[in-house]
Amino acid sequence: TMNAIATGQHAIVIGGVVRADLQPARYSSGGPIPSQHRIGPDALAVSDDAIVRSGVLAAGTRSGSVVAMNGTSVAAPMITRYIAEDLARGGRGNRAAVASLAERQEEDLTEHCATLQESAPQRPKPQRGGAGRIRLAPMNNLRMSEDEL
């Protein structure tokens, strides 16, 4: 996400992608300008389910409630979760790790579409999509058992 807080030399910039067509969301920024080390965001993560179904479902403010939230402010925390898991496994958890994940997932998407004899959705240019699109599994049905409460 791009805002006054998300600054610094090593900030990881995540743009938004629409899950249905895997294209950048219209509102998604192209990354920090000027920059010597990048020409767009580092990668894209899901920020909307579809153009007609804006947002992704997230926990609401009341117990058991659900709301649709959208924007790069939804995409960035998904990557933050990946970084935390990567660090817990002993990984680097940095921009290079995020770029590597995006590159792998772009290759997987191309292979998957070839297996289905379909054409892969056009990959966004680096200025809009960075290293590629990251499709992390949504965190659905995460409920605490009575023993955990």
Side-chain angles (χ1 to χ4, degrees), residues 45-65:
V46 174
S47 60
D48 291 283
D49 282 329
I51 292 174
V52 295
R53 198 170 61 189
S54 177
V56 294
L57 296 180
T61 56
R62 299 201 183 257
S63 178
S65 67

Side-chain angles (χ1 to χ4, degrees), residues 7-142:
T7 61
Q9 228 174 358
H10 304 288
I12 299 170
V13 179
I14 302 299
V17 68
V18 179
R19 187 185 323 265
D21 63 6
L22 294 176
Q23 294 304 307
R26 289 186 159 193
Y27 53 76
S28 186
S29 70
I33 302 295
S35 176
Q36 304 161 358
H37 306 291
R38 64 174 126 205
I39 58 173
D42 291 300
L44 300 174
V46 174
S47 60
D48 291 283
D49 282 329
I51 292 174
V52 295
R53 198 170 61 189
S54 177
V56 294
L57 296 180
T61 56
R62 299 201 183 257
S63 178
S65 67
V66 176
V67 297
M69 299 175 63
N70 74 338
T72 55
S73 296
V74 174
M78 295 172 74
I79 301 304
T80 302
R81 182 183 75 212
Y82 164 76
I83 290 168
E85 291 169 351
D86 188 48
L87 288 169
R89 290 187 302 266
R92 298 170 295 171
N94 58 11
R95 286 180 58 207
V98 170
S100 178
L101 174 65
E103 287 290 342
R104 285 192 314 272
Q105 288 208 357
E106 283 294 339
E107 290 171 13
D108 291 347
L109 177 63
T110 301
E111 290 173 12
H112 177 72
C113 288
T115 301
L116 298 175
Q117 298 180 343
E118 296 177 359
S119 59
Q122 184 175 7
R123 183 175 183 167
K125 293 181 180 180
Q127 296 88 337
R128 287 293 315 275
R133 299 164 283 198
I134 297 174
R135 296 162 317 282
L136 298 171
M139 294 186 70
N140 293 337
N141 300 322
L142 293 179

